[in-house]
Amino acid sequence: MLVVNAADKDFVVESLLEHRGDVIGSVTKRLNNEPQVRINESAFAHNIGRVQRLLAEPVKRVAVLISGNGSNLQALIDSTRNSTMGMRAEIVFVLSNKENVMGLERARKAGIASKCLSHKDFKSREDFDAAMTSLLESHGIDVVCLAGFMRILSGQFVSKWKGRLINIHPSLLPKYPGLHVQRQALEAGEKYSGCTVHFVDEGVDTGAIIFQRRVAIKEGETEESLTRKIHRAEHYAYPHALRMLVNGQTSF
Ligand code: GRF
């Protein structure tokens, strides 16, 4: 709980929007002119009730789908294990469509169940996606995070996981969907780029946006330096967006 100057109230509530900050009282004067905090009981009960309901719900079981390095996977593992983040989620399964990638090693080190399922072993996209769904279901997965998963998903998979399937993309969508987007942003002379976490729908990088983080493009910026900068922003944005989803602050 914060006690702030009345003049700063709106600013503080606005800044706490993502945590659903709310006003639960006011500061009044006692007879001797000393300040006194007065709690509005119904506002207090409403807010405590909301948190208690959230804490009573089981922690969401999250799977992360990767194809490579998995630095976003690492950010998600670290943030879900950091109690100060207040994240009602646990990464319980990592699925890669490529063998021997760094992301699988990260899962192993973190003691998280993982599996490599190569799309090459399946006749069609639908068959591969159906095999992924049965693996995800066998792990009791609630939420699927795509983190550098280099496969286009079938409509079947997308509709099965709709509202529980999110992706991170290295541009400020709707600008620059698809591949090589850092290069495109540089070539277009953009002053800013960034990353977007969004719900996945049937299109490529078109789903509803959950959270974005902007980075400045400086004079002399290269594709490599911009990619690094966006990656750092991603490691903040993805945990942030996942927390919004699992803590019920956003839905599809
Ligand atoms: C990220 O830049 C993400 O935006 C894109 O793929 C990259 C994955 O990086 N979808 P990493 O494997 O998480 O390091």
Side-chain angles (χ1 to χ4, degrees), residues 63-76 94-99 101-104 106 119 128 132 144-153 165-170 178-179 182 195-198 200 205 231 234-235 238:
V64 183
L65 273 48
I66 58 163
S67 300
N69 178 29
S71 68
N72 280 287
L73 161 67
Q74 191 67 56
L76 291 171
V94 173
L95 182 58
S96 172
N97 68 319
K98 293 257 169 72
E99 281 185 296
V101 291
M102 182 64 188
L104 285 172
R106 293 179 195 271
H119 55 279
F128 173 66
M132 284 203 298
V144 180
C145 293
L146 307 179
F149 185 63
M150 301 303 282
R151 297 281 308 160
I152 292 181
L153 297 162
L165 175 61
I166 64 177
N167 179 43
I168 188 154
H169 180 79
L179 296 173
Q182 294 90 340
C195 62
T196 305
V197 183
H198 62 94
V200 176
D205 304 321
H231 245 124
E234 290 182 338
H235 301 158
Y238 216 168

Side-chain angles (χ1 to χ4, degrees), residues 56-112:
E57 276 178 25
V59 166
K60 295 276 187 287
R61 294 173 62 81
V62 177
V64 183
L65 273 48
I66 58 163
S67 300
N69 178 29
S71 68
N72 280 287
L73 161 67
Q74 191 67 56
L76 291 171
I77 295 171
D78 295 345
S79 60
T80 48
R81 290 180 173 182
N82 175 349
S83 59
T84 64
M85 288 285 293
M87 183 106 87
R88 302 289 296 157
E90 189 187 355
I91 313 295
V92 295
F93 185 50
V94 173
L95 182 58
S96 172
N97 68 319
K98 293 257 169 72
E99 281 185 296
N100 300 324
V101 291
M102 182 64 188
L104 285 172
E105 179 62 13
R106 293 179 195 271
R108 199 192 56 74
K109 279 203 178 127
I112 297 172

Side-chain angles (χ1 to χ4, degrees), residues 66-251:
I66 58 163
S67 300
N69 178 29
S71 68
N72 280 287
L73 161 67
Q74 191 67 56
L76 291 171
I77 295 171
D78 295 345
S79 60
T80 48
R81 290 180 173 182
N82 175 349
S83 59
T84 64
M85 288 285 293
M87 183 106 87
R88 302 289 296 157
E90 189 187 355
I91 313 295
V92 295
F93 185 50
V94 173
L95 182 58
S96 172
N97 68 319
K98 293 257 169 72
E99 281 185 296
N100 300 324
V101 291
M102 182 64 188
L104 285 172
E105 179 62 13
R106 293 179 195 271
R108 199 192 56 74
K109 279 203 178 127
I112 297 172
S114 63
K115 172 108 183 145
C116 172
L117 193 67
S118 174
H119 55 279
K120 293 182 187 148
D121 295 338
F122 293 84
K123 278 206 209 87
S124 67
R125 189 178 298 284
E126 284 69 22
D127 287 354
F128 173 66
D129 288 2
M132 284 203 298
T133 288
S134 36
L135 269 173
L136 295 169
E137 285 181 334
S138 72
H139 284 85
I141 297 305
D142 300 304
V143 173
V144 180
C145 293
L146 307 179
F149 185 63
M150 301 303 282
R151 297 281 308 160
I152 292 181
L153 297 162
S154 62
Q156 209 176 301
F157 187 89
V158 170
S159 68
K160 161 84 194 163
W161 294 97
K162 204 166 232 171
R164 304 184 293 149
L165 175 61
I166 64 177
N167 179 43
I168 188 154
H169 180 79
S171 80
L172 294 174
L173 291 171
K175 273 193 169 176
Y176 311 114
L179 296 173
H180 309 300
V181 296
Q182 294 90 340
R183 191 187 312 159
Q184 290 180 51
L186 284 175
E187 282 170 3
E190 300 283 0
K191 293 276 173 282
Y192 294 96
S193 184
C195 62
T196 305
V197 183
H198 62 94
F199 286 106
V200 176
D201 67 7
E202 285 72 11
V204 175
D205 304 321
T206 51
I209 291 172
I210 301 171
F211 187 78
Q212 293 187 301
R213 189 150 166 107
R214 195 167 78 155
V215 303
I217 299 181
K218 293 269 158 51
E219 198 67 31
E221 196 86 65
T222 62
E223 195 177 339
E224 291 69 35
S225 68
L226 180 59
T227 301
R228 271 199 304 277
K229 219 185 247 186
I230 293 177
H231 245 124
R232 280 196 296 275
E234 290 182 338
H235 301 158
Y236 175 85
Y238 216 168
H240 205 81
L242 178 61
R243 183 175 61 191
M244 288 172 72
L245 178 62
V246 297
N247 290 12
Q249 291 152 3
T250 184
S251 60

